[in-house]
C-alpha cells in the first residue's frame, strides 16, 4: 500500500510540474500579445490587458477637429483591445486543458468544485484530523 501511495505522490508531482511549466509558457506567450488598430492616421497598440503600449498620430490627423480625433482614438483603442483579447483567447484555447478549464471558470465567474462544497462541521473536521493522524501513525512520519 505504501508503494501505491508513493507512486501516486510521484505521479502527482510530475503532473504538477507539467502544469506549472505549461502555465509559465502560457503566461510568457500572453505577456508578448499586442493588439493593434489603425485608422485615419492614428495607430493604437495595446498589451493583453488593454493598456496602450504605442500610440502614433500622424501630423495630418492633428488637423482634424478634436471631436473627430477623439472618436478615432477611442475607436482604435477599442479595436486594438478586441484584437488583443482575441489573441489571448486563441492562446488560452490551445492551452493545456487543465489550465484552460480553470481560466474559463475564472472568466465566467463559475465556482470551482472546492468553492461549491458546504463548510464542514466541527465534528467532521475533528474526524478528518483523527483519520489523518491515525494514518500518519501507521505509515510513519516523514519530515
Amino acid at each position: 500500500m505504501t508503494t501505491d501511495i508513493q507512486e501516486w505522490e510521484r505521479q502527482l508531482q510530475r503532473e504538477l510540474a507539467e502544469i506549472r511549466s505549461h502555465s509559465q509558457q502560457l503566461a510568457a506567450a500572453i505577456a508578448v500579445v499586442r493588439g493593434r488598430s489603425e485608422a485615419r492616421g492614428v495607430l493604437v497598440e495595446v498589451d493583453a490587458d488593454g493598456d496602450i503600449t504605442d500610440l502614433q498620430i500622424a501630423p495630418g490627423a492633428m488637423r482634424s477637429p478634436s471631436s473627430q480625433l477623439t472618436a478615432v482614438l477611442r475607436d482604435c483603442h477599442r479595436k486594438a483591445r478586441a484584437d488583443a483579447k482575441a489573441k489571448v483567447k486563441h492562446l488560452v484555447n490551445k492551452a493545456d486543458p487543465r489550465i484552460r478549464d480553470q481560466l474559463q471558470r475564472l472568466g465566467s465567474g463559475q465556482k470551482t468544485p472546492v468553492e461549491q462544497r458546504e463548510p464542514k462541521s466541527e465534528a467532521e473536521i475533528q474526524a478528518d484530523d483523527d483519520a489523518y493522524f491515525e494514518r500518519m501513525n501507521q505509515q510513519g512520519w516523514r519530515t
Side-chain angles (χ1 to χ4, degrees):
M1 177 151 174
T2 304
T3 308
D4 292 340
I5 291 174
Q6 289 171 341
E7 178 55 34
W8 177 79
E9 286 179 350
R10 283 191 293 273
Q11 177 64 28
L12 184 59
Q13 289 302 320
R14 285 189 297 268
E15 287 184 28
L16 287 173
E18 186 178 274
I19 290 169
R20 191 173 295 117
S21 173
H22 290 170
S23 74
Q24 289 170 344
Q25 291 170 4
L26 179 60
I30 289 173
V32 297
V33 164
R34 294 295 180 265
R36 294 173 59 103
S37 178
E38 188 172 0
R40 297 184 190 164
V42 173
L43 174 115
V44 176
E45 180 184 87
V46 299
D47 62 15
D49 292 324
D51 295 330
I52 295 174
T53 57
D54 191 18
L55 172 63
Q56 297 177 21
I57 304 172
M62 299 293 280
R63 290 186 216 108
S64 303
S66 64
S67 60
Q68 185 179 356
L69 181 56
T70 300
V72 171
L73 282 166
R74 283 186 181 147
D75 189 50
C76 282
H77 186 226
R78 183 183 53 76
K79 288 178 180 177
R81 284 190 342 247
D83 182 38
K85 184 177 180 178
K87 289 174 180 176
V88 168
K89 185 176 181 178
H90 178 72
L91 289 170
V92 169
N93 286 339
K94 292 184 349 183
D96 183 316
R98 297 168 294 191
I99 297 168
R100 180 185 62 232
D101 294 346
Q102 291 302 316
L103 289 172
Q104 288 172 342
R105 276 195 186 107
L106 286 172
S108 70
Q110 284 182 350
K111 292 188 176 185
T112 63
V114 172
E115 294 170 323
Q116 293 172 351
R117 281 190 252 164
E118 292 294 321
K120 291 186 177 188
S121 69
E122 191 62 38
E124 291 171 319
I125 294 170
Q126 187 62 49
D128 286 348
D129 284 349
D130 291 345
Y132 170 77
F133 286 110
E134 180 65 29
R135 190 171 60 249
M136 295 308 290
N137 286 330
Q138 289 175 354
Q139 296 173 359
W141 292 81
R142 292 181 278 176
T143 56

